[in-house]
Amino acid sequence: MKSKINQKIIENKNKPSLIPFVVSGFPSLEVTKQLLKEFSNNDKISAIEVGIPFSDPLADGPVIAKAAKEAIANGTNLSSIFEMLKEVKEDVSTPIILFSYVNPIVRMGIDTFFKKAEESGVSGLIIPDLPVEEADAFLEYCNKTNIDLIMLVAPTSDNQRINKIVEVSKGFIYLVSSTGVTGVREGFSDMLSGLIKEIRSKTDVPVCVGFGVSKAIHINELKNMDVNGAIVGSAIVKLIDENKHTPDLIPVKLNEYIDSLFSANGIKA
């Protein structure tokens, strides 16, 4: 079967299209549910990353780590997230990508996790602490359930590792903009443009860039590099945090923010 994520990114008229990231259960699962519906109605968005809150998030900066801690304190866990996803399955046509560390998946049981993910309509999976060399068991389950395993390429990835990642990744290649954890940055690594060209020479799977994407100028830079998608996480979670005591305002503020990303620097909204 064709990748739903791949198709949505390629068909999206915005270049790059947007892939927003939210932490499940922050500030509540009800708000997460509303945001998934809201994002699904936004034509700038080609997929949605749904973060599984974890107590030791190695790749997450302080904004996302704080949100994850609050979500866990609220009682959010994998089972409640899958139930929430099932509830919105019919209303959300945009592909859902789960972002999880290895530990919560193994704790639930890989077999159970993939069964519930398939039942919940999940289209993709990102596991930032899963090395490509240890991905075989996950790949087997992904192939059985038609869930794309999306792997990360970092500026420090050598040619051999990039070849392995390109070989197994479906949906898109997640290109990390710079070394370190997630968070808002001023600009991108000078190596980024060269890495994009290198990946493109090896595959026609879309290339999406994340870590530090937060401003219209970033979107414009990525557009000029011919990137297919822009993953925006910390800036969105920060905005949710700032408005968590007035949850009805969160979708309004996020729509304004998303419009602002595409309305400057010569990019049409």
Side-chain angles (χ1 to χ4, degrees):
M1 287 178 72
K2 282 188 177 180
S3 163
K4 184 179 176 184
I5 299 167
N6 188 312
Q7 281 183 298
K8 286 281 188 180
I9 291 170
I10 290 168
E11 289 168 6
N12 197 289
K13 291 175 183 176
N14 286 281
K15 301 298 175 197
S17 62
L18 186 67
I19 301 173
F21 171 92
V22 294
V23 175
S24 284
F26 177 73
S28 69
L29 280 172
E30 193 57 41
V31 169
T32 305
K33 193 192 300 186
Q34 290 168 359
L35 291 178
L36 295 184
K37 293 177 185 178
E38 194 74 30
F39 287 152
S40 190
N41 292 325
N42 191 316
D43 62 7
K44 298 175 184 68
I45 292 171
S46 56
I48 308 164
E49 261 190 59
V50 176
I52 308 297
F54 180 52
S55 57
D56 189 21
L58 303 174
D60 295 333
V63 172
I64 292 174
K66 176 178 175 282
K69 188 178 179 181
E70 287 191 32
I72 292 167
N74 291 342
T76 306
N77 57 36
L78 259 177
S79 295
S80 62
I81 290 166
F82 282 131
E83 285 304 312
M84 180 271 297
L85 290 176
K86 268 199 252 183
E87 288 172 19
V88 298
K89 186 177 173 182
E90 300 305 317
D91 300 314
V92 178
S93 59
T94 303
I96 298 291
I97 301 165
L98 286 183
F99 180 104
S100 176
Y101 291 90
V102 171
N103 185 285
I105 299 173
V106 172
R107 188 173 179 185
M108 173 173 267
I110 297 176
D111 193 71
T112 303
F113 173 86
F114 275 96
K115 184 182 177 186
K116 287 180 177 287
E118 186 178 28
E119 288 170 353
S120 306
V122 170
S123 297
L125 177 62
I126 297 169
I127 311 175
D129 59 342
L130 177 69
V132 66
E133 295 84 1
E134 297 172 21
D136 286 355
F138 291 90
L139 280 165
E140 192 177 327
Y141 277 100
C142 282
N143 291 333
K144 281 181 191 173
T145 53
N146 198 38
I147 292 172
D148 295 340
L149 184 62
I150 297 160
M151 304 211 75
L152 283 71
V153 172
T156 52
S157 300
D158 60 28
N159 201 47
Q160 187 178 3
R161 175 169 286 269
I162 291 171
N163 285 340
K164 285 180 183 176
I165 290 168
V166 162
E167 193 179 323
V168 301
S169 274
K170 292 182 179 176
F172 62 85
I173 308 289
Y174 192 134
L175 178 55
V176 176
S177 68
S178 53
T179 55
V181 297
T182 58
V184 174
R185 288 173 173 79
E186 286 306 310
F188 300 125
S189 163
D190 293 337
M191 300 166 66
L192 199 62
S193 184
L195 266 172
I196 292 163
K197 286 174 185 170
E198 187 175 344
I199 294 167
R200 287 207 186 285
S201 71
K202 302 172 188 294
T203 182
D204 59 1
V205 172
V207 177
C208 300
V209 172
F211 283 50
V213 182
S214 63
K215 303 174 183 178
I217 193 168
H218 296 156
I219 298 293
N220 201 42
E221 281 181 55
L222 296 179
K223 182 184 181 184
N224 291 336
M225 292 182 202
D226 198 27
V227 167
N228 300 99
I231 300 150
V232 179
S234 292
I236 282 176
V237 176
K238 185 172 183 284
L239 200 54
I240 293 170
D241 188 34
E242 289 168 352
N243 294 279
K244 66 186 176 186
H245 299 301
T246 49
D248 290 347
L249 273 181
I250 292 173
V252 177
K253 294 289 184 182
L254 284 177
N255 278 328
E256 287 174 359
Y257 172 66
I258 290 167
D259 284 345
S260 77
L261 287 176
F262 290 90
S263 62
N265 299 297
I267 299 175
K268 284 190 176 181

